[in-house]
Amino acid sequence: MDSYIWTFLTMGISANTAFAEDVTTETSSGNSANDDLNGLRKIEDGSVASNIHTAKWRVFTDKARELFFEGKLDDAERLFVAAIKEAKEGFGEQDPHVASSCNNLAELYRVKKAFDKAEPLYLEAIKILEESFGPDDVRVAVAVHNLGQFYIGQRMLEKALVSYERALKIKRRVLGYNHSECSDTMYQIGMVLYLQGKEKDAEIIIKDSISMLEKSGEGESIVCIRRLRSLSQIYLKSHRLDDAEMVQRKILNIMEFSKGWKSLDTVIAAESLALTLQASSETKQSKELLERCLEVRRALLPGDHIQIGANLLHLARVAMLDFSQNKKLDVSRAKAELGIAKDYLHNSIRIVRQCLDTILKQKDKSKKTSVRGHTSKEAQAALVILLQSLSTLSSLELAKEELQEIQKGDINVKAKEALLQCIAAYNEFVVHKKSIADYPEIKNEYLSCFKRAQSLLGNKLDGEGIQKLNQTS
């Protein structure tokens, strides 16, 4: 996924897939390239029975996992089902390899949202492992943790909490309090508590899980950085801007030290901090960070890249905030900030329009590419940026009107044009890419723009569209 898209993703519980393997007695969170998949969980012992069925089980399992990660879920399902049959034939009905296969198929059903099929398989895997190794074995803990992931994906929070707490109890007894596996489960418990509205308890346990990683030398790991980002999002949603800023500065320091400023990961960390500073009205620091982000992006990316368009929008908003802070104190500076903001917005609009035009020209290509591939993600991000840029441009024109004390009662033509362009851009995607236009953040931006246009134009704007949108929201 394009590294820009993270900006438009809300914080949530990991939906990562935790497949089982067949060759070890231990688990580890690690920091390998597979961290994005939360590790390929290993829940059975290393004993191997060799016959035609076990050979088929291995082949089916490997191929099914490969197909799964390619997005070919129906083909993967057939092979995972076949793998369970071969495991029972080759290893025995209650062998841990059967538990492994049940876990794999359950994970696939979870991703396909076939929850009624997934839960019995998770429970069967746990039962087999308990009978094979006892109820307090670490492999049981990993399987119970997976069940917690399943429950949390359905927002069955109490069941998820029970599963995670049991998993944590076993892991602490077997692996020790400070093991990274304990940290993983603690973090998930923290997220469940947060979703239950127990923010203080959640904050404590999430911070403890981060501290454990730092003490074990994993403070610069991808896993730790993700948890720090989640913590900062919790603070932001609670309007604890100072706490969020402190965490984001820590993330940026880690990224500067580990990757330097020639990395887009560092740029994204700096941009997050800049937006928090902007929310705190710290315009000088925010502007400096965003200008540096723009400089690096222009050096690393094509000039019409969507990240550059977003960066320009952020800079325009900072300039607008500067205008608001100075319009009564320094009129000449306020006017200059409006001019700067307008240039940023025009360039942002130009860039994202180019991106959207390219996507619309691809509308006749396969649905898989347009809906599930990178093109769809980029389209969602680009359309949000376009709507926000046009809305901000309208606000800028109204601010200019206020500064120049234009006679009230006259409709600001440029402000009106920006809002109507915003509405037109959305409607164009309703026709060509309805699944993209229905994206919640896009609908919210459109609704806000439409209401502003109605307020500005009064009866000159037909309200039928907004009524329909309200009915479907």
Side-chain angles (χ1 to χ4, degrees), residues 349-381:
I349 291 166
R350 173 183 56 80
I351 288 171
V352 293
R353 279 196 183 280
Q354 288 176 357
C355 178
L356 290 170
D357 287 345
T358 300
I359 292 166
L360 286 174
K361 289 176 183 177
Q362 297 174 344
K363 64 181 182 293
D364 294 328
K365 291 189 175 181
S366 70
K367 289 185 178 181
K368 181 177 178 180
T369 301
S370 62
V371 176
R372 297 184 62 181
H374 294 286
T375 300
S376 177
K377 295 292 185 182
E378 290 171 358
Q380 290 171 3

PDB file of all heavy atoms in Angstrom, residues 349-381:
ATOM      1  N   ILE A 349      -4.948  21.134  -5.807  1.00  0.00           N
ATOM      2  CA  ILE A 349      -6.092  20.772  -6.646  1.00  0.00           C
ATOM      3  C   ILE A 349      -5.628  20.254  -8.001  1.00  0.00           C
ATOM      4  O   ILE A 349      -6.142  19.263  -8.521  1.00  0.00           O
ATOM      5  CB  ILE A 349      -7.024  21.989  -6.803  1.00  0.00           C
ATOM      6  CG1 ILE A 349      -7.707  22.291  -5.461  1.00  0.00           C
ATOM      7  CG2 ILE A 349      -8.073  21.733  -7.892  1.00  0.00           C
ATOM      8  CD1 ILE A 349      -8.382  23.650  -5.411  1.00  0.00           C
ATOM      9  N   ARG A 350      -4.625  20.924  -8.576  1.00  0.00           N
ATOM     10  CA  ARG A 350      -4.096  20.487  -9.878  1.00  0.00           C
ATOM     11  C   ARG A 350      -3.565  19.065  -9.808  1.00  0.00           C
ATOM     12  O   ARG A 350      -3.858  18.223 -10.677  1.00  0.00           O
ATOM     13  CB  ARG A 350      -2.989  21.445 -10.331  1.00  0.00           C
ATOM     14  CG  ARG A 350      -2.257  21.007 -11.590  1.00  0.00           C
ATOM     15  CD  ARG A 350      -1.131  21.969 -11.931  1.00  0.00           C
ATOM     16  NE  ARG A 350      -0.186  22.132 -10.831  1.00  0.00           N
ATOM     17  CZ  ARG A 350       0.783  21.256 -10.546  1.00  0.00           C
ATOM     18  NH1 ARG A 350       0.920  20.144 -11.271  1.00  0.00           N
ATOM     19  NH2 ARG A 350       1.618  21.498  -9.554  1.00  0.00           N
ATOM     20  N   ILE A 351      -2.802  18.770  -8.770  1.00  0.00           N
ATOM     21  CA  ILE A 351      -2.175  17.450  -8.645  1.00  0.00           C
ATOM     22  C   ILE A 351      -3.222  16.352  -8.460  1.00  0.00           C
ATOM     23  O   ILE A 351      -3.189  15.318  -9.138  1.00  0.00           O
ATOM     24  CB  ILE A 351      -1.169  17.455  -7.475  1.00  0.00           C
ATOM     25  CG1 ILE A 351       0.060  18.277  -7.850  1.00  0.00           C
ATOM     26  CG2 ILE A 351      -0.763  16.027  -7.097  1.00  0.00           C
ATOM     27  CD1 ILE A 351       1.008  18.533  -6.696  1.00  0.00           C
ATOM     28  N   VAL A 352      -4.176  16.563  -7.551  1.00  0.00           N
ATOM     29  CA  VAL A 352      -5.143  15.494  -7.284  1.00  0.00           C
ATOM     30  C   VAL A 352      -6.123  15.341  -8.442  1.00  0.00           C
ATOM     31  O   VAL A 352      -6.616  14.230  -8.694  1.00  0.00           O
ATOM     32  CB  VAL A 352      -5.888  15.710  -5.953  1.00  0.00           C
ATOM     33  CG1 VAL A 352      -4.921  15.573  -4.787  1.00  0.00           C
ATOM     34  CG2 VAL A 352      -6.586  17.050  -5.892  1.00  0.00           C
ATOM     35  N   ARG A 353      -6.390  16.418  -9.171  1.00  0.00           N
ATOM     36  CA  ARG A 353      -7.236  16.276 -10.360  1.00  0.00           C
ATOM     37  C   ARG A 353      -6.549  15.404 -11.415  1.00  0.00           C
ATOM     38  O   ARG A 353      -7.202  14.581 -12.071  1.00  0.00           O
ATOM     39  CB  ARG A 353      -7.560  17.651 -10.953  1.00  0.00           C
ATOM     40  CG  ARG A 353      -8.690  18.390 -10.245  1.00  0.00           C
ATOM     41  CD  ARG A 353      -9.213  19.532 -11.098  1.00  0.00           C
ATOM     42  NE  ARG A 353     -10.237  20.298 -10.432  1.00  0.00           N
ATOM     43  CZ  ARG A 353     -11.508  19.947 -10.329  1.00  0.00           C
ATOM     44  NH1 ARG A 353     -11.899  18.782 -10.844  1.00  0.00           N
ATOM     45  NH2 ARG A 353     -12.381  20.718  -9.722  1.00  0.00           N
ATOM     46  N   GLN A 354      -5.249  15.589 -11.570  1.00  0.00           N
ATOM     47  CA  GLN A 354      -4.507  14.745 -12.514  1.00  0.00           C
ATOM     48  C   GLN A 354      -4.607  13.273 -12.104  1.00  0.00           C
ATOM     49  O   GLN A 354      -4.814  12.398 -12.945  1.00  0.00           O
ATOM     50  CB  GLN A 354      -3.039  15.182 -12.554  1.00  0.00           C
ATOM     51  CG  GLN A 354      -2.806  16.503 -13.263  1.00  0.00           C
ATOM     52  CD  GLN A 354      -1.351  16.948 -13.197  1.00  0.00           C
ATOM     53  OE1 GLN A 354      -0.520  16.296 -12.569  1.00  0.00           O
ATOM     54  NE2 GLN A 354      -1.043  18.062 -13.842  1.00  0.00           N
ATOM     55  N   CYS A 355      -4.476  13.040 -10.811  1.00  0.00           N
ATOM     56  CA  CYS A 355      -4.567  11.665 -10.308  1.00  0.00           C
ATOM     57  C   CYS A 355      -5.948  11.079 -10.571  1.00  0.00           C
ATOM     58  O   CYS A 355      -6.082   9.953 -11.065  1.00  0.00           O
ATOM     59  CB  CYS A 355      -4.258  11.647  -8.810  1.00  0.00           C
ATOM     60  SG  CYS A 355      -4.384  10.016  -8.044  1.00  0.00           S
ATOM     61  N   LEU A 356      -6.987  11.842 -10.278  1.00  0.00           N
ATOM     62  CA  LEU A 356      -8.351  11.356 -10.482  1.00  0.00           C
ATOM     63  C   LEU A 356      -8.679  11.177 -11.956  1.00  0.00           C
ATOM     64  O   LEU A 356      -9.373  10.219 -12.329  1.00  0.00           O
ATOM     65  CB  LEU A 356      -9.345  12.321  -9.832  1.00  0.00           C
ATOM     66  CG  LEU A 356      -9.333  12.332  -8.295  1.00  0.00           C
ATOM     67  CD1 LEU A 356     -10.167  13.486  -7.755  1.00  0.00           C
ATOM     68  CD2 LEU A 356      -9.841  11.014  -7.744  1.00  0.00           C
ATOM     69  N   ASP A 357      -8.186  12.064 -12.804  1.00  0.00           N
ATOM     70  CA  ASP A 357      -8.412  11.915 -14.248  1.00  0.00           C
ATOM     71  C   ASP A 357      -7.810  10.617 -14.753  1.00  0.00           C
ATOM     72  O   ASP A 357      -8.413   9.904 -15.562  1.00  0.00           O
ATOM     73  CB  ASP A 357      -7.810  13.096 -15.008  1.00  0.00           C
ATOM     74  CG  ASP A 357      -8.616  14.378 -14.836  1.00  0.00           C
ATOM     75  OD1 ASP A 357      -9.769  14.290 -14.375  1.00  0.00           O
ATOM     76  OD2 ASP A 357      -8.071  15.469 -15.141  1.00  0.00           O
ATOM     77  N   THR A 358      -6.629  10.297 -14.260  1.00  0.00           N
ATOM     78  CA  THR A 358      -5.975   9.044 -14.654  1.00  0.00           C
ATOM     79  C   THR A 358      -6.804   7.847 -14.225  1.00  0.00           C
ATOM     80  O   THR A 358      -6.973   6.880 -14.978  1.00  0.00           O
ATOM     81  CB  THR A 358      -4.570   8.956 -14.029  1.00  0.00           C
ATOM     82  OG1 THR A 358      -3.783  10.060 -14.483  1.00  0.00           O
ATOM     83  CG2 THR A 358      -3.890   7.657 -14.402  1.00  0.00           C
ATOM     84  N   ILE A 359      -7.340   7.906 -13.024  1.00  0.00           N
ATOM     85  CA  ILE A 359      -8.137   6.798 -12.498  1.00  0.00           C
ATOM     86  C   ILE A 359      -9.426   6.636 -13.297  1.00  0.00           C
ATOM     87  O   ILE A 359      -9.837   5.517 -13.622  1.00  0.00           O
ATOM     88  CB  ILE A 359      -8.439   7.026 -11.007  1.00  0.00           C
ATOM     89  CG1 ILE A 359      -7.136   6.914 -10.198  1.00  0.00           C
ATOM     90  CG2 ILE A 359      -9.463   6.026 -10.479  1.00  0.00           C
ATOM     91  CD1 ILE A 359      -7.239   7.438  -8.787  1.00  0.00           C
ATOM     92  N   LEU A 360     -10.069   7.739 -13.625  1.00  0.00           N
ATOM     93  CA  LEU A 360     -11.311   7.658 -14.400  1.00  0.00           C
ATOM     94  C   LEU A 360     -11.080   7.068 -15.792  1.00  0.00           C
ATOM     95  O   LEU A 360     -11.934   6.376 -16.330  1.00  0.00           O
ATOM     96  CB  LEU A 360     -11.941   9.048 -14.524  1.00  0.00           C
ATOM     97  CG  LEU A 360     -12.613   9.583 -13.256  1.00  0.00           C
ATOM     98  CD1 LEU A 360     -13.075  11.022 -13.457  1.00  0.00           C
ATOM     99  CD2 LEU A 360     -13.783   8.707 -12.849  1.00  0.00           C
ATOM    100  N   LYS A 361      -9.900   7.314 -16.346  1.00  0.00           N
ATOM    101  CA  LYS A 361      -9.581   6.751 -17.666  1.00  0.00           C
ATOM    102  C   LYS A 361      -9.394   5.241 -17.598  1.00  0.00           C
ATOM    103  O   LYS A 361      -9.452   4.559 -18.607  1.00  0.00           O
ATOM    104  CB  LYS A 361      -8.321   7.406 -18.224  1.00  0.00           C
ATOM    105  CG  LYS A 361      -8.529   8.861 -18.642  1.00  0.00           C
ATOM    106  CD  LYS A 361      -7.219   9.512 -19.097  1.00  0.00           C
ATOM    107  CE  LYS A 361      -7.424  10.975 -19.448  1.00  0.00           C
ATOM    108  NZ  LYS A 361      -6.147  11.638 -19.822  1.00  0.00           N
ATOM    109  N   GLN A 362      -9.175   4.744 -16.381  1.00  0.00           N
ATOM    110  CA  GLN A 362      -8.980   3.307 -16.204  1.00  0.00           C
ATOM    111  C   GLN A 362     -10.275   2.591 -15.832  1.00  0.00           C
ATOM    112  O   GLN A 362     -10.277   1.432 -15.457  1.00  0.00           O
ATOM    113  CB  GLN A 362      -7.944   3.058 -15.103  1.00  0.00           C
ATOM    114  CG  GLN A 362      -6.564   3.598 -15.431  1.00  0.00           C
ATOM    115  CD  GLN A 362      -5.605   3.459 -14.256  1.00  0.00           C
ATOM    116  OE1 GLN A 362      -6.012   3.243 -13.134  1.00  0.00           O
ATOM    117  NE2 GLN A 362      -4.316   3.588 -14.537  1.00  0.00           N
ATOM    118  N   LYS A 363     -11.410   3.282 -15.957  1.00  0.00           N
ATOM    119  CA  LYS A 363     -12.674   2.715 -15.471  1.00  0.00           C
ATOM    120  C   LYS A 363     -13.103   1.462 -16.204  1.00  0.00           C
ATOM    121  O   LYS A 363     -13.917   0.692 -15.702  1.00  0.00           O
ATOM    122  CB  LYS A 363     -13.790   3.758 -15.555  1.00  0.00           C
ATOM    123  CG  LYS A 363     -14.164   4.226 -16.952  1.00  0.00           C
ATOM    124  CD  LYS A 363     -15.271   5.265 -16.871  1.00  0.00           C
ATOM    125  CE  LYS A 363     -15.718   5.725 -18.257  1.00  0.00           C
ATOM    126  NZ  LYS A 363     -14.682   6.479 -18.946  1.00  0.00           N
ATOM    127  N   ASP A 364     -12.561   1.236 -17.396  1.00  0.00           N
ATOM    128  CA  ASP A 364     -12.944   0.056 -18.153  1.00  0.00           C
ATOM    129  C   ASP A 364     -12.059  -1.148 -17.858  1.00  0.00           C
ATOM    130  O   ASP A 364     -12.271  -2.227 -18.412  1.00  0.00           O
ATOM    131  CB  ASP A 364     -12.905   0.348 -19.660  1.00  0.00           C
ATOM    132  CG  ASP A 364     -13.963   1.362 -20.052  1.00  0.00           C
ATOM    133  OD1 ASP A 364     -15.030   1.365 -19.409  1.00  0.00           O
ATOM    134  OD2 ASP A 364     -13.712   2.145 -20.984  1.00  0.00           O
ATOM    135  N   LYS A 365     -11.073  -0.976 -16.976  1.00  0.00           N
ATOM    136  CA  LYS A 365     -10.200  -2.091 -16.623  1.00  0.00           C
ATOM    137  C   LYS A 365     -10.904  -3.009 -15.641  1.00  0.00           C
ATOM    138  O   LYS A 365     -12.025  -2.744 -15.201  1.00  0.00           O
ATOM    139  CB  LYS A 365      -8.888  -1.574 -16.048  1.00  0.00           C
ATOM    140  CG  LYS A 365      -8.034  -0.875 -17.102  1.00  0.00           C
ATOM    141  CD  LYS A 365      -6.644  -0.571 -16.567  1.00  0.00           C
ATOM    142  CE  LYS A 365      -5.764   0.019 -17.656  1.00  0.00           C
ATOM    143  NZ  LYS A 365      -4.402   0.307 -17.169  1.00  0.00           N
ATOM    144  N   SER A 366     -10.251  -4.079 -15.251  1.00  0.00           N
ATOM    145  CA  SER A 366     -10.889  -5.104 -14.426  1.00  0.00           C
ATOM    146  C   SER A 366     -11.351  -4.553 -13.098  1.00  0.00           C
ATOM    147  O   SER A 366     -10.752  -3.643 -12.541  1.00  0.00           O
ATOM    148  CB  SER A 366      -9.910  -6.257 -14.183  1.00  0.00           C
ATOM    149  OG  SER A 366      -8.873  -5.830 -13.323  1.00  0.00           O
ATOM    150  N   LYS A 367     -12.440  -5.090 -12.560  1.00  0.00           N
ATOM    151  CA  LYS A 367     -12.970  -4.665 -11.274  1.00  0.00           C
ATOM    152  C   LYS A 367     -11.972  -4.935 -10.163  1.00  0.00           C
ATOM    153  O   LYS A 367     -11.908  -4.201  -9.185  1.00  0.00           O
ATOM    154  CB  LYS A 367     -14.278  -5.400 -10.986  1.00  0.00           C
ATOM    155  CG  LYS A 367     -15.427  -4.949 -11.862  1.00  0.00           C
ATOM    156  CD  LYS A 367     -16.714  -5.636 -11.449  1.00  0.00           C
ATOM    157  CE  LYS A 367     -17.883  -5.161 -12.287  1.00  0.00           C
ATOM    158  NZ  LYS A 367     -19.149  -5.811 -11.887  1.00  0.00           N
ATOM    159  N   LYS A 368     -11.219  -5.988 -10.298  1.00  0.00           N
ATOM    160  CA  LYS A 368     -10.251  -6.312  -9.245  1.00  0.00           C
ATOM    161  C   LYS A 368      -9.245  -5.193  -9.066  1.00  0.00           C
ATOM    162  O   LYS A 368      -8.887  -4.815  -7.952  1.00  0.00           O
ATOM    163  CB  LYS A 368      -9.522  -7.615  -9.573  1.00  0.00           C
ATOM    164  CG  LYS A 368      -8.521  -8.013  -8.508  1.00  0.00           C
ATOM    165  CD  LYS A 368      -7.862  -9.345  -8.827  1.00  0.00           C
ATOM    166  CE  LYS A 368      -6.835  -9.702  -7.764  1.00  0.00           C
ATOM    167  NZ  LYS A 368      -6.169 -10.970  -8.035  1.00  0.00           N
ATOM    168  N   THR A 369      -8.788  -4.621 -10.166  1.00  0.00           N
ATOM    169  CA  THR A 369      -7.819  -3.536 -10.082  1.00  0.00           C
ATOM    170  C   THR A 369      -8.461  -2.264  -9.566  1.00  0.00           C
ATOM    171  O   THR A 369      -7.916  -1.581  -8.715  1.00  0.00           O
ATOM    172  CB  THR A 369      -7.213  -3.269 -11.478  1.00  0.00           C
ATOM    173  OG1 THR A 369      -6.583  -4.467 -11.927  1.00  0.00           O
ATOM    174  CG2 THR A 369      -6.202  -2.148 -11.411  1.00  0.00           C
ATOM    175  N   SER A 370      -9.669  -1.954 -10.044  1.00  0.00           N
ATOM    176  CA  SER A 370     -10.282  -0.674  -9.707  1.00  0.00           C
ATOM    177  C   SER A 370     -10.889  -0.646  -8.320  1.00  0.00           C
ATOM    178  O   SER A 370     -10.991   0.395  -7.711  1.00  0.00           O
ATOM    179  CB  SER A 370     -11.360  -0.339 -10.738  1.00  0.00           C
ATOM    180  OG  SER A 370     -12.377  -1.314 -10.712  1.00  0.00           O
ATOM    181  N   VAL A 371     -11.292  -1.792  -7.791  1.00  0.00           N
ATOM    182  CA  VAL A 371     -11.965  -1.800  -6.498  1.00  0.00           C
ATOM    183  C   VAL A 371     -11.051  -2.242  -5.386  1.00  0.00           C
ATOM    184  O   VAL A 371     -11.025  -1.646  -4.322  1.00  0.00           O
ATOM    185  CB  VAL A 371     -13.212  -2.717  -6.566  1.00  0.00           C
ATOM    186  CG1 VAL A 371     -13.867  -2.814  -5.194  1.00  0.00           C
ATOM    187  CG2 VAL A 371     -14.215  -2.177  -7.579  1.00  0.00           C
ATOM    188  N   ARG A 372     -10.241  -3.265  -5.624  1.00  0.00           N
ATOM    189  CA  ARG A 372      -9.476  -3.828  -4.524  1.00  0.00           C
ATOM    190  C   ARG A 372      -8.002  -3.471  -4.584  1.00  0.00           C
ATOM    191  O   ARG A 372      -7.279  -3.686  -3.634  1.00  0.00           O
ATOM    192  CB  ARG A 372      -9.622  -5.364  -4.523  1.00  0.00           C
ATOM    193  CG  ARG A 372     -11.045  -5.813  -4.291  1.00  0.00           C
ATOM    194  CD  ARG A 372     -11.121  -7.309  -4.196  1.00  0.00           C
ATOM    195  NE  ARG A 372     -10.355  -7.806  -3.080  1.00  0.00           N
ATOM    196  CZ  ARG A 372     -10.231  -9.095  -2.767  1.00  0.00           C
ATOM    197  NH1 ARG A 372     -10.839  -9.996  -3.508  1.00  0.00           N
ATOM    198  NH2 ARG A 372      -9.513  -9.487  -1.742  1.00  0.00           N
ATOM    199  N   GLY A 373      -7.541  -2.957  -5.695  1.00  0.00           N
ATOM    200  CA  GLY A 373      -6.121  -2.692  -5.839  1.00  0.00           C
ATOM    201  C   GLY A 373      -5.719  -1.327  -5.355  1.00  0.00           C
ATOM    202  O   GLY A 373      -6.473  -0.593  -4.733  1.00  0.00           O
ATOM    203  N   HIS A 374      -4.479  -0.966  -5.666  1.00  0.00           N
ATOM    204  CA  HIS A 374      -3.937   0.319  -5.243  1.00  0.00           C
ATOM    205  C   HIS A 374      -4.711   1.481  -5.845  1.00  0.00           C
ATOM    206  O   HIS A 374      -4.851   2.529  -5.234  1.00  0.00           O
ATOM    207  CB  HIS A 374      -2.465   0.417  -5.649  1.00  0.00           C
ATOM    208  CG  HIS A 374      -1.594  -0.568  -4.927  1.00  0.00           C
ATOM    209  ND1 HIS A 374      -1.255  -0.411  -3.611  1.00  0.00           N
ATOM    210  CD2 HIS A 374      -1.017  -1.715  -5.336  1.00  0.00           C
ATOM    211  CE1 HIS A 374      -0.470  -1.411  -3.231  1.00  0.00           C
ATOM    212  NE2 HIS A 374      -0.330  -2.217  -4.254  1.00  0.00           N
ATOM    213  N   THR A 375      -5.241   1.313  -7.062  1.00  0.00           N
ATOM    214  CA  THR A 375      -5.941   2.400  -7.721  1.00  0.00           C
ATOM    215  C   THR A 375      -7.111   2.887  -6.879  1.00  0.00           C
ATOM    216  O   THR A 375      -7.349   4.081  -6.747  1.00  0.00           O
ATOM    217  CB  THR A 375      -6.442   1.945  -9.110  1.00  0.00           C
ATOM    218  OG1 THR A 375      -5.326   1.547  -9.900  1.00  0.00           O
ATOM    219  CG2 THR A 375      -7.170   3.072  -9.812  1.00  0.00           C
ATOM    220  N   SER A 376      -7.868   1.972  -6.301  1.00  0.00           N
ATOM    221  CA  SER A 376      -9.013   2.348  -5.478  1.00  0.00           C
ATOM    222  C   SER A 376      -8.573   3.126  -4.246  1.00  0.00           C
ATOM    223  O   SER A 376      -9.187   4.135  -3.891  1.00  0.00           O
ATOM    224  CB  SER A 376      -9.795   1.096  -5.063  1.00  0.00           C
ATOM    225  OG  SER A 376     -10.854   1.436  -4.211  1.00  0.00           O
ATOM    226  N   LYS A 377      -7.533   2.662  -3.588  1.00  0.00           N
ATOM    227  CA  LYS A 377      -7.036   3.368  -2.402  1.00  0.00           C
ATOM    228  C   LYS A 377      -6.569   4.773  -2.759  1.00  0.00           C
ATOM    229  O   LYS A 377      -6.848   5.741  -2.039  1.00  0.00           O
ATOM    230  CB  LYS A 377      -5.866   2.580  -1.781  1.00  0.00           C
ATOM    231  CG  LYS A 377      -6.236   1.213  -1.227  1.00  0.00           C
ATOM    232  CD  LYS A 377      -7.119   1.337  -0.012  1.00  0.00           C
ATOM    233  CE  LYS A 377      -7.373  -0.032   0.600  1.00  0.00           C
ATOM    234  NZ  LYS A 377      -8.270   0.042   1.773  1.00  0.00           N
ATOM    235  N   GLU A 378      -5.860   4.888  -3.849  1.00  0.00           N
ATOM    236  CA  GLU A 378      -5.381   6.198  -4.275  1.00  0.00           C
ATOM    237  C   GLU A 378      -6.545   7.106  -4.657  1.00  0.00           C
ATOM    238  O   GLU A 378      -6.524   8.314  -4.375  1.00  0.00           O
ATOM    239  CB  GLU A 378      -4.430   6.035  -5.465  1.00  0.00           C
ATOM    240  CG  GLU A 378      -3.102   5.379  -5.082  1.00  0.00           C
ATOM    241  CD  GLU A 378      -2.258   5.032  -6.297  1.00  0.00           C
ATOM    242  OE1 GLU A 378      -2.731   5.276  -7.423  1.00  0.00           O
ATOM    243  OE2 GLU A 378      -1.148   4.520  -6.112  1.00  0.00           O
ATOM    244  N   ALA A 379      -7.566   6.532  -5.268  1.00  0.00           N
ATOM    245  CA  ALA A 379      -8.730   7.322  -5.655  1.00  0.00           C
ATOM    246  C   ALA A 379      -9.453   7.861  -4.429  1.00  0.00           C
ATOM    247  O   ALA A 379      -9.870   9.029  -4.403  1.00  0.00           O
ATOM    248  CB  ALA A 379      -9.689   6.477  -6.496  1.00  0.00           C
ATOM    249  N   GLN A 380      -9.623   7.021  -3.420  1.00  0.00           N
ATOM    250  CA  GLN A 380     -10.263   7.468  -2.180  1.00  0.00           C
ATOM    251  C   GLN A 380      -9.493   8.635  -1.569  1.00  0.00           C
ATOM    252  O   GLN A 380     -10.073   9.668  -1.205  1.00  0.00           O
ATOM    253  CB  GLN A 380     -10.340   6.314  -1.187  1.00  0.00           C
ATOM    254  CG  GLN A 380     -11.320   5.223  -1.579  1.00  0.00           C
ATOM    255  CD  GLN A 380     -11.215   4.004  -0.689  1.00  0.00           C
ATOM    256  OE1 GLN A 380     -10.442   3.987   0.264  1.00  0.00           O
ATOM    257  NE2 GLN A 380     -11.990   2.989  -0.983  1.00  0.00           N
ATOM    258  N   ALA A 381      -8.177   8.464  -1.461  1.00  0.00           N
ATOM    259  CA  ALA A 381      -7.348   9.515  -0.868  1.00  0.00           C
ATOM    260  C   ALA A 381      -7.394  10.786  -1.711  1.00  0.00           C
ATOM    261  O   ALA A 381      -7.552  11.892  -1.183  1.00  0.00           O
ATOM    262  CB  ALA A 381      -5.907   9.018  -0.734  1.00  0.00           C
TER     263      ALA A 381
END
